[in-house]
Amino acid sequence: MINIRKLKTVKSNFPIMIAEKAIAKNTCINFVKEIQKSKAFDDMIMGGRSRINKGSQNFKNFINDSKNADQLYRQFNNFNFYKTIEKIFKKKFKDSSWSSVYKANTFQKERFTPKKKYNSSELKKILGKKHKKPTVNLDIDFSVSKGGYRLRPHRDDITRQYNFLIYLNDIPKSNGGSLTVYKKKVDKKIRKSFRRFPKKSELKIVKEFTPKTGSVIFFQSTPNSYHGVKRFVEHNGQKRYFIYGSYAFNGPIV
């Protein structure tokens, strides 16, 4: 379903790849219709993003009712596909500043990361002893955002390895909602650290990605992979539809 052969690298301070028209326009239209028909969502976060999350009954119902969702889920929830993505990252970013020490030897299809927010210390206590035998799993959700949705600059939690976004409809740049990539400013007054939620004054914008139908973005989660979403302004009832996912370890990635 997703044509990963179209993935091209993007100049950034951490590994990012993007592919335009990587998924057929008609498929995206059908996804939007199916999300619109969904009778229930699992939560609403970030000022207006409603999600159908892997692991919930809503997710199971959605997959059962949607051939497109089932096909996409099967493609991504697969060890061979994960290894293909990993191989592409290693090949295209062999000179990257960051690489993980551990290699996953098992793929857990049914596992998912709890949506409760944990800080790094809590995650280490919960998962820290398990990373000696690393396993990896897919986390994924089908989302729709209304006006007011935004995501403050951050890096993802310490268990995630690769993240992806699939945009299902066009959003005019003037409406906001763009994925924004940041890097730390070069300033002697700012201590060189990689806090999960740095102050915005410590960052500068590197790149912005405006949602386009069928576009797919992959990026590696590293200590400096700061990103966010600019506030989305809804015009004439137009929502922002997308699919978000990540490959996550069963313990902190070293």
Side-chain angles (χ1 to χ4, degrees):
M1 176 174 279
I2 301 292
N3 187 354
I4 57 174
R5 289 177 295 180
K6 290 189 173 186
L7 287 168
K8 295 180 180 179
T9 60
V10 174
K11 189 175 181 180
S12 178
N13 52 310
F14 59 91
I16 303 175
M17 296 184 289
I18 185 170
E20 294 187 355
K21 299 179 181 179
I23 180 172
K25 185 175 181 179
N26 286 342
T27 302
C28 293
I29 291 171
N30 288 332
F31 265 125
V32 169
K33 289 179 180 178
E34 288 161 357
I35 294 172
Q36 288 173 337
K37 289 192 298 184
S38 181
K39 296 178 181 179
F41 292 89
D42 294 311
D43 55 15
M44 180 184 283
I45 60 172
M46 304 167 192
R49 173 182 168 188
S50 297
R51 302 187 297 185
I52 303 172
N53 301 317
K54 180 184 177 183
S56 72
Q57 187 59 49
N58 288 327
F59 186 89
K60 292 176 183 177
N61 294 340
F62 190 78
I63 294 296
N64 288 335
D65 294 339
S66 168
K67 290 183 180 180
N68 289 318
D70 181 64
Q71 184 180 348
L72 183 139
Y73 180 57
R74 288 175 184 273
Q75 179 182 8
F76 278 81
N77 198 35
N78 180 287
F79 201 14
N80 287 332
F81 186 77
Y82 161 77
K83 287 190 289 187
T84 298
I85 296 299
E86 185 176 50
K87 186 177 180 180
I88 293 172
F89 268 100
K90 287 185 176 180
K91 182 179 179 180
K92 290 184 179 290
F93 300 99
K94 58 184 177 181
D95 296 324
S96 174
S97 300
W98 304 96
S99 62
S100 57
V101 174
Y102 302 114
K103 185 177 180 180
N105 51 27
T106 305
F107 190 90
Q108 297 183 322
K109 287 189 174 183
E110 301 302 320
R111 188 179 183 276
F112 58 92
T113 305
K115 291 300 180 183
K116 179 183 175 182
K117 290 183 179 179
Y118 294 103
N119 62 40
S120 295
S121 298
E122 290 171 329
L123 275 171
K124 285 178 180 176
K125 288 180 182 178
I126 295 169
L127 304 170
K129 294 180 180 179
K130 297 181 181 179
H131 70 275
K132 293 179 182 179
K133 293 184 179 180
T135 67
V136 68
N137 67 271
L138 171 72
D139 290 323
I140 189 169
D141 64 69
F142 298 88
S143 289
V144 54
S145 299
K146 65 179 184 178
Y149 163 65
R150 71 176 77 188
L151 181 58
R152 64 183 285 198
H154 70 290
R155 61 168 174 79
D156 290 323
D157 68 48
I158 57 176
T159 64
R160 292 185 191 172
Q161 186 179 26
Y162 304 116
N163 305 273
F164 60 88
L165 283 159
I166 303 170
Y167 292 119
L168 302 175
N169 65 323
D170 291 338
I171 299 295
K173 189 173 183 179
S174 58
N175 288 25
S178 59
L179 173 68
T180 308
V181 173
Y182 301 87
K183 72 175 182 179
K184 277 288 190 77
K185 292 178 179 177
V186 179
D187 189 337
K188 292 181 181 180
K189 295 179 182 178
I190 299 175
R191 184 169 62 89
K192 189 176 181 180
S193 64
F194 299 105
R195 292 181 299 160
R196 188 174 178 195
F197 295 98
K199 294 178 181 179
K200 205 166 182 178
S201 59
E202 298 176 19
L203 304 172
K204 67 177 181 179
I205 294 174
V206 174
K207 194 85 175 177
E208 291 186 42
F209 300 95
T210 301
K212 294 182 180 179
T213 304
S215 290
V216 178
I217 298 173
F218 280 88
F219 65 92
Q220 187 173 4
S221 189
T222 63
N224 67 331
S225 57
Y226 292 118
H227 60 283
V229 177
K230 289 198 169 181
R231 185 175 181 272
F232 173 54
V233 180
E234 187 178 328
H235 289 307
N236 300 319
Q238 184 185 31
K239 303 291 194 297
R240 183 181 185 272
Y241 295 89
F242 61 103
I243 301 166
Y244 170 79
S246 64
Y247 289 108
F249 271 44
N250 64 328
I253 293 178
V254 180

